[in-house]
Amino acid sequence: MNNKKIILFGGTFDPVHLGHTTVAKAAIEYIEADRIIFIPAKCSPLKSALPRASDIDRLEMLTLAIEDEDKYEVSDYEISKPTPSFTLDTARYFNSIYGKEYALYWLVGADSIDDLIYWHRITELIDECNVAMMYRAEYERPDFEKYKSVWGLGRVDKLQKNIIPTPLVNISSTEVRRTLSSGGDVIQMLDNKVLSYIKEHKLYGI
Ligand code: ATP
């Protein structure tokens, strides 16, 4: 077993908010990880009623949000590909680079528990790395019991052992976008540098 640990944190980060950075910090401490890599997903800016930011803007905002943290980095692995990636492929890529030295953890918020079943080759992802589910405000505490008959006892046991009791921060990117586009105040939801970037580049309909 590897003693060193690396966390992969995928998401749209549209934009990255204080919920993301708070749970990332808690996950690092809980897992005792050496590093965390934020991996923004490639996605279409057209897929929402609310204005979205481009891939490059999301990457830039993440870079600003984490620049003072030693253990944090941002990867453009998914964004630089021509099409959206499956999590399994991204996990395999990072395992091929770090797997000899580090145990890999893939962070997910508890809002995703019912979607996991639809993830591409989810059982292979559970086998490939440690899928680590975090608490999220307004969602039930994660419990994988109901998946025992689908994924098997061993996998469910692994998922249950990797649940991370992160602090509950009731912020979402949807709420940030909604508040910005209606002229509201998001100062409590975002890093200052991210907010300045949004204003400077007139993102999210402001
Ligand atoms: P949206 O509102 O656009 O769906 P989001 O706030 O959920 O966005 P994502 O970029 O989709 O942000 O989230 C990336 C990952 O971080 C997901 O696994 C999500 O569950 C988790 N996450 C986001 N915000 C929080 C939060 N406040 N607490 C715990 N987990 C969170």
Side-chain angles (χ1 to χ4, degrees), residues 9-15 17-20 23 52 107-112 134-137 166-175 177:
F9 192 10
T12 43
F13 303 110
D14 191 17
H17 52 67
L18 296 180
H20 294 125
V23 295
R52 297 277 190 159
L107 279 192
V108 215
D111 50 305
S112 299
M134 306 174 284
Y135 290 3
R136 185 157 187 181
T166 40
L168 300 179
V169 186
N170 201 358
I171 306 176
S172 71
S173 296
T174 305
E175 188 57 31
R177 293 193 299 274

Side-chain angles (χ1 to χ4, degrees), residues 41-146:
K42 191 168 195 72
C43 50
S44 161
L46 305 173
K47 269 200 330 207
S48 162
L50 292 164
R52 297 277 190 159
S54 69
D55 290 350
I56 296 303
D57 284 331
R58 291 184 294 112
L59 189 71
E60 288 291 329
M61 288 187 281
L62 258 174
T63 306
L64 288 171
I66 61 133
E67 67 183 3
D68 297 329
E69 299 284 350
D70 292 349
K71 292 182 175 176
Y72 295 30
E73 59 187 271
V74 180
S75 164
D76 68 354
Y77 175 73
E78 291 198 356
I79 274 183
S80 63
K81 292 184 132 195
T83 52
S85 313
F86 289 116
T87 300
L88 176 62
D89 296 333
T90 304
R92 285 201 168 136
Y93 166 77
F94 281 95
N95 236 347
S96 72
I97 296 181
Y98 297 109
K100 283 207 175 81
E101 210 184 336
Y102 294 90
L104 247 73
Y105 289 75
W106 188 282
L107 279 192
V108 215
D111 50 305
S112 299
I113 194 160
D114 291 327
D115 297 336
L116 274 188
I117 196 106
Y118 305 111
W119 282 27
H120 177 68
R121 292 154 70 179
I122 180 66
T123 49
E124 286 173 62
L125 180 67
I126 298 167
D127 296 341
E128 181 76 20
C129 61
N130 295 286
V131 175
M133 188 158 281
M134 306 174 284
Y135 290 3
R136 185 157 187 181
E138 304 204 324
Y139 291 87
E140 295 286 315
R141 297 208 163 171
D143 180 2
F144 295 95
E145 275 298 305
K146 65 181 173 191

